[in-house]
C-alpha cells in the first residue's frame, strides 16, 4: 500500500492506494468510526453488486455498528439535484447529525455528489472517498465536489476535502473498457502537464492491455502526486490548480453537447487534450507535431473522435464561454509551453475554430 | 457609520452599520466591483419595492455596469431548494462566472439562500450581504448559509463568509411589528449570553417603541460585536459558536411544528429562550426567577406564547432530536450558568418536559 499525504490550509489527509486495503486502512480510523453516531455508505448501484460487501463488512466490524446504505443511480445521472436531495432525505430519515460519517463508494460521479452532500448536510460532515474507477484517481482527490445543472456540468458545488481517500485498485479489475479509456485520459493529462518522459512511456504502448498491474499502480500514484502538489499550492483554484483543466474547456463542451452519460468524462477530455495541444502549437511554443502524435496514440488506444464530427462549433463555443474558468465571455484555455509546462491563455474564437477544423480533418481521415 | 471587522481563518471582512450607507461603502469596493464581469442583486420581492432603488442606483454608478436583478419570494419560502435552483439558473442565463459578484438584499431568509447560492455557484463567488431587518443583524454576519429541507430548517447549507455586510439601518423604519419582534429576540439573546447590564437595560423598556434610533443602532452594533468575537474564535461551530444557539433548540422545534413562515424565527427563539432559562435554573446555577422575569418582559413586548399551547411535546422532542447540535438522539441545549456565561449541556427528555409544562402554565395564565 502506498500513502500520499495532502496538506491543504484547512485539512491534512491521506490517500491510500493499494489492493484490498479497506480493512487495514479503516483500522487506522477506528476511534473516529466508533465515536460516530451513524456511519452511512452511498454507493453507485452497479458498484454495489461488485464491491459493497468488501467495504461494508470491515466497516461494520471496525465501527462496531450497523452501517446504513443508500444506493445511487449509476453514472453521471446521479449528479442531478433530485439525487442530491434524496441523499439529504436519507440522512435525515436515518437520524444523522454532524457526528455522522459518510462514505462514497463508486466512480467520479458518486464521489462528486456524495462529497457535495457531505459538505452541505448540516453545513458539513466528515466523509471518506472510496473510488472504484481509474477516473476517480483524479476526482476523489482534491476536494472538488459538485452536481450538474441542466445548463452545465459541475455548475453547483463546493471545495470540501475528504477525511481520507481509500483507493482499492483491486476494484479496477471489473472496469468496462469504456471506463478504462475514461480514466486513462486523466492519467495522460497528468503526464502531459508534468513529465515528458512519462508521456513517452505512455505513448510506447499500443493498447492499454499491455500495461501491467504494477505499472497501473505506479501511474495512479504518480497522477495523485501531481494533483496533490497542485492542490496544496492552490486549493481554491485561483492560480496553478487551473492547469489540471488541460483539455477540459473543449472537453466539457463536447460532453455537454453529446449529453452527460452518453460519452464518458475522460473520452471527452481526451478529445479536448488534442485541441489544447493544437492550440499550444499555434499560440504557444509547443513543438509542432505533438498534437498529431497525441491524436495517433489516442486513436490507437481506442478513443473515438466522432463527437467532433457530430457537433457544430457554434454550440461548442457557447458551452466553452460558460466554462468556470471563463470571464467576460473570453475563452480561457490551459495550454502547454512544452510538455510538463502548462500555462493559462485567453484564446480567440478564430483560433479555436481553426483547431476544431484541423481535428475534424484528422477525424474524417480515420474513417477513410 | 460604524465598522466592525471580522477576522476568520479564511476571510477578513467588514460589517458597516449606519444610515444611508450604501453609496459610501460601495465606493470602498469600487475596484472590485468594476473588475467583476457581472453584478447581480438577489432581492426579496417585498423589500424590492421599498429599498431596491437605493442599492441599485449607486451600485450601477460605481460598478459602471448594468446590474441584473432577481426577485426572491418573500420570507422563509425563499429557502426552498426550488428557489435555490432558480437562482443558479438565473446566474447561468445572465452568463455569470466566478468573476461575478452577488448582492443579497433583504431579511435573514434571502441572506441565507443567496449566501448558499454564492457559496455553490461554480464552487463559490464573492457576495455582499445587505440586510434589511433587525433579525439579519444576526444572520448576515458569520457566514452561515442555508436552505430548508422539508424535514428540517437550515439542514442544507455551508459556512461561507461574505466579502462585506452593508447594514443600512434606515431600512428598518419600514419593518412591520412582527419583524421587530423577530429581530429583537436575537438582540435579547446576544445580551443574555454576554452582559447582564445590557439585559437589565433591555428589560427596563415597557415596549420596543420606547427605544430610540440611536439606542437601536448601539444594540445592533453590540450584537454584531458579540457575534463577531464568537465567530472569530470558532468559525465552524466546533465549540463556543454553539452558544449563539441559545433558545434555538426548542425555538427551531416550535418554528418547524408551527410551519415556517407562519411564525417568525425570532418569535420562536423568544419562546426557546424562556425554556433555556427554565432549564438553566434547574440543571445549572442560573438565579431562580430569571426565566419568569424574561417571560414577563417578552409578554410585555408583545411576544405570543400561544404556540407552546398548540403543539404536543412529543412532536417538539422529535424535532429537537434532529437539531444540528444533537448527536446519538440526546438533547443538547445551550444553557446559562448565569447571565453572560453560556454553556453546553445534555438535557434529559424529562427535564425538557418539565420546563415545557411550566411554560404552558405561564402561557395559560396570560389568557386568564
Amino acid at each position: 500500500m502506498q500513502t500520499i499525504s495532502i496538506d491543504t490550509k484547512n485539512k491534512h489527509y491521506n490517500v491510500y492506494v493499494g489492493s484490498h486495503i479497506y480493512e487495514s486502512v479503516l483500522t487506522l480510523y477506528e476511534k473516529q468510526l466508533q465515536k460516530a453516531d451513524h456511519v452511512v455508505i452511498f454507493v453507485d448501484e452497479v458498484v454495489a453488486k461488485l464491491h459493497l460487501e468488501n467495504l461494508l463488512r470491515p466497516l461494520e466490524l471496525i465501527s462496531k455498528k450497523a452501517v446504513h446504505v443508500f444506493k445511487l443511480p449509476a453514472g453521471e445521472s446521479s449528479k442531478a439535484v433530485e439525487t442530491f436531495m434524496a441523499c439529504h432525505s436519507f440522512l435525515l430519515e436515518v437520524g444523522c447529525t454532524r457526528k455522522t460519517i459518510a462514505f462514497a463508494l463508486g466512480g467520479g460521479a458518486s464521489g462528486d455528489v456524495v462529497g457535495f452532500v457531505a459538505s452541505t448536510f448540516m453545513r458539513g460532515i466528515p466523509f471518506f472517498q472510496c473510488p472504484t474507477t481509474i477516473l476517480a484517481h483524479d476526482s476523489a482527490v482534491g476536494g472538488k465536489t459538485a452536481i450538474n445543472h441542466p445548463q452545465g456540468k459541475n455548475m453547483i458545488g463546493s471545495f470540501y476535502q475528504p477525511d481520507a481517500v481509500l483507493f482499492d485498485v483491486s476494484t479496477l479489475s471489473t472496469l468496462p473498457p469504456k471506463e478504462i479509456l475514461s480514466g486513462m485520459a486523466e492519467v495522460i493529462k497528468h503526464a502531459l502537464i508534468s513529465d515528458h518522459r512519462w508521456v513517452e512511456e505512455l505513448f510506447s504502448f499500443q493498447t492499454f492491455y499491455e500495461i501491467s498491474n504494477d505499472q497501473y499502480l505506479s501511474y495512479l500514484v504518480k497522477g495523485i502526486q501531481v494533483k496533490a502538489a497542485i492542490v496544496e499550492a492552490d486549493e481554491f483554484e485561483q492560480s496553478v490548480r487551473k492547469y489540471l483543466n488541460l483539455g477540459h474547456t473543449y472537453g466539457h463542451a463536447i460532453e455537454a453537447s453529446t449529453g452527460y452519460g452518453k460519452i464518458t468524462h475522460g473520452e471527452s477530455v481526451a478529445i479536448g487534450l488534442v485541441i489544447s495541444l493544437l492550440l499550444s502549437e499555434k499560440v504557444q511554443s509547443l513543438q509542432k507535431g505533438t498534437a498529431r502524435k497525441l491524436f495517433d496514440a489516442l486513436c490507437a488506444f481506442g478513443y473515438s473522435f466522432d463527437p467532433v464530427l457530430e457537433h457544430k462549433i457554434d454550440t461548442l463555443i457557447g458551452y466553452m464561454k460558460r466554462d468556470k474558468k471563463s470571464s467576460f465571455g473570453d475563452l480561457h484555455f490551459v495550454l502547454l509551453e512544452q510538455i510538463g509546462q502548462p500555462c493559462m491563455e485567453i484564446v480567440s474564437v478564430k483560433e479555436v475554430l481553426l483547431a476544431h477544423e484541423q481535428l475534424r480533418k484528422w477525424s474524417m481521415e480515420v474513417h477513410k
Side-chain angles (χ1 to χ4, degrees), chain A:
Chain A
M1 182 167 75
Q2 301 211 39
T3 306
I4 302 137
S5 74
I6 301 194
D7 295 310
T8 68
K9 196 172 152 197
N10 288 302
K11 196 128 177 193
H12 309 293
Y13 65 97
N14 286 337
V15 182
Y16 304 91
V17 191
S19 218
H20 304 288
I21 61 170
Y22 290 150
E23 188 166 347
S24 52
V25 176
L26 290 174
T27 308
L28 304 172
Y29 295 86
E30 189 173 14
K31 263 194 195 163
Q32 190 188 350
L33 291 166
Q34 290 181 5
K35 272 173 67 183
D37 62 353
H38 295 287
V39 175
V40 296
I41 299 175
F42 292 96
V43 57
D44 174 309
E45 60 188 1
V46 173
V47 172
K49 289 177 200 150
L50 301 165
H51 308 296
L52 176 58
E53 275 306 308
N54 297 334
L55 177 63
L56 187 61
R57 213 172 353 94
L59 193 51
E60 294 204 321
L61 210 72
I62 292 162
S63 71
K64 292 192 175 157
K65 50 181 75 71
V67 168
H68 305 268
V69 176
F70 185 82
K71 288 185 187 158
L72 301 163
E76 199 69 21
S77 61
S78 67
K79 288 173 70 175
V81 68
E82 291 77 16
T83 309
F84 169 77
M85 288 301 285
C87 293
H88 275 281
S89 302
F90 169 74
L91 290 171
L92 287 169
E93 278 151 23
V94 167
C96 295
T97 70
R98 284 193 184 153
K99 295 197 173 166
T100 295
I101 297 174
F103 280 75
L105 177 63
S110 38
D112 283 356
V113 66
V114 176
F116 191 46
V117 169
S119 82
T120 55
F121 183 72
M122 299 193 178
R123 300 198 184 90
I125 58 172
F127 86 113
F128 288 75
Q129 288 273 25
C130 303
T132 60
T133 64
I134 300 174
L135 185 68
H137 93 280
D138 180 53
S139 60
V141 175
K144 277 195 182 180
T145 81
I147 57 173
N148 297 332
H149 187 282
Q151 288 176 48
K153 187 177 156 79
N154 292 338
M155 283 298 161
I156 306 174
S158 62
F159 291 98
Y160 192 74
Q161 304 293 341
D163 276 35
V165 181
L166 284 65
F167 195 3
D168 184 342
V169 293
S170 75
T171 62
L172 303 181
S173 63
T174 56
L175 276 188
K178 226 175 143 64
E179 275 300 327
I180 296 176
L181 287 176
S182 183
M184 285 305 287
E186 295 283 2
V187 172
I188 293 167
K189 178 201 78 181
H190 284 138
L192 284 169
I193 62 172
S194 68
D195 180 357
H196 72 96
R197 274 166 309 186
W198 186 11
V199 172
E200 276 155 32
E201 190 177 328
L202 288 170
F203 285 3
S204 73
F205 297 108
Q206 298 302 311
T207 80
F208 290 145
Y209 298 101
E210 288 172 35
I211 302 174
S212 72
N213 280 349
D214 281 355
Q215 279 168 323
Y216 262 120
L217 188 65
S218 79
Y219 295 155
L220 294 173
V221 168
K222 228 170 147 176
I224 293 167
Q225 283 165 337
V226 167
K227 179 144 191 187
I230 287 179
V231 168
E232 287 180 358
D234 174 29
E235 183 178 1
F236 299 115
E237 198 166 42
Q238 298 300 304
S239 58
V240 293
R241 184 159 185 172
K242 291 180 182 166
Y243 297 159
L244 293 169
N245 292 308
L246 185 78
H248 282 61
T249 308
Y250 188 94
H252 272 169
I254 285 284
E255 194 175 2
S257 305
T258 309
Y260 301 119
K262 289 182 190 151
I263 184 170
T264 64
H265 176 67
E267 286 173 308
S268 319
V269 168
I271 298 171
L273 289 175
V274 179
I275 291 285
S276 296
L277 266 56
L278 276 167
L279 289 169
S280 301
E281 289 181 16
K282 196 72 182 290
V283 305
Q284 273 293 339
S285 50
L286 184 69
Q287 204 189 331
K288 302 276 180 285
T290 316
R292 180 71 210 206
K293 236 168 113 181
L294 175 65
F295 174 79
D296 290 339
L298 293 175
C299 287
F301 291 149
Y303 290 92
S304 163
F305 286 83
D306 289 354
V308 181
L309 304 173
E310 287 158 10
H311 300 294
K312 286 198 180 140
I313 184 67
D314 294 349
T315 316
L316 298 175
I317 296 272
Y319 279 107
M320 283 184 252
K321 282 192 174 166
R322 246 178 290 157
D323 188 82
K324 286 194 283 302
K325 288 177 301 307
S326 294
S327 57
F328 300 98
D330 286 332
L331 298 173
H332 290 233
F333 273 81
V334 185
L335 301 181
L336 297 178
E337 291 175 25
Q338 56 185 64
I339 288 178
Q341 285 193 10
C343 59
M344 281 300 298
E345 188 96 39
I346 297 176
V347 179
S348 71
V349 170
K350 197 186 148 197
E351 289 297 346
V352 176
L353 198 83
L354 288 171
H356 171 79
E357 278 310 315
Q358 181 64 67
L359 186 55
R360 274 180 68 88
K361 271 185 208 154
W362 290 351
S363 307
M364 280 189 284
E365 281 170 23
V366 174
H367 284 286
K368 277 177 190 165

